Amino acid sequence: MNIRPRRNRKSPVVRALVRENQVCAKDLIYPLFLLEGANKKIEVESMPGIYRLGIEHMLKEVDECMKLGIKSFDIFPVVEEKHKDKVATKSYDDTFFYLTALKRIKAEFPEACIMTDVAMDPYSSDGHDGLVDKNGNILNDESLEILGKMALAQARTGIDIIGPSDMMDGRVGYIREVLDLEGFSNVSIMSYTAKYASAFYGPFRDALDSAPKSGDKKTYQMDPANQREALIEADLDVEEGADFLMVKPALAYLDVIKLLKDNYDLPIAAYNVSGEYAMVCAAAEKGWLDKTAIMNEVLLSIKRAGADIILTYYAKEFAKQEC
Ligand code: PBG
């Protein structure tokens, strides 16, 4: 035997020399849930260790993360039912707590990268990402106008990246145009390019209380059976001016991450979603899996598949280890 692959695995230092991929804190975006009451803090039951935070706690959390090397955050609002309506009015009301909080976060941490979510669901009494007509259809072009107003209101707070997660056709181009016309050509768009109609979003919808009141999201989010369709979405996003392409969920869609990485030159992001996190926590609580080891393996596998950036609820926990 003159070829013995085990020689390159013989010690920690040799394994480190030949290691092909590594996850660093700088690769991670930490999703955070913002509550209306400034001093409130409520754990998400299905996501142990993840909290819905009022602005005072949120500022502390961002500060702690920054010190650990996590400098990018995707902030989602928890909207009380009384603020919701069919046309998501609160999503572009500059006095609404989400928008005023974003302004404060950017003012206190100008060096942080703040990402926001564009979709109607947290603000919609229907719980859908777009407008719903009386027959239950999700209206595409009519929704764009609202999404554009929402993106603009978010841009005005000083945030860095807009994340359209709604999957309406044409929204990236529409939002790009609105932002540019209003002087926000420097605000980036991370498009949820290949966002699948997935059951892995369950715990997130619990956290935000944003589940659809009727129907499902299958007429706008992608069919989990499809891979090539992601190329159609990615072509459109590139043409429409996206700065990043995202695949979501991550773990069950590693092939799609690889496909986009191989076919596009834009940075590829992957969203390691709430259900992926909850599964590991549940097994770890039972003593069936080692949470830290699984966290590292999961993040590495997403990186190895081709993701440059990972949105993950593990971000803070990961950063507490050495990179
Ligand atoms: C809103 C949105 C969702 C997620 C991110 N943005 C839920 C959905 O589309 O139903 C899911 C994130 C997660 O599960 O961690 N459109």
Side-chain angles (χ1 to χ4, degrees), residues 76 117 119 121 129 165 192 195 200-201 204-205 217 221 248 271 273-274 313:
F76 296 90
D117 200 70
D121 55 341
D129 296 18
S165 72
Y192 285 66
K195 177 172 179 179
F200 281 105
Y201 309 147
F204 174 96
R205 292 178 190 168
K217 298 193 175 186
Q221 298 181 346
K248 178 184 174 182
Y271 200 141
V273 300
S274 56
Y313 301 98

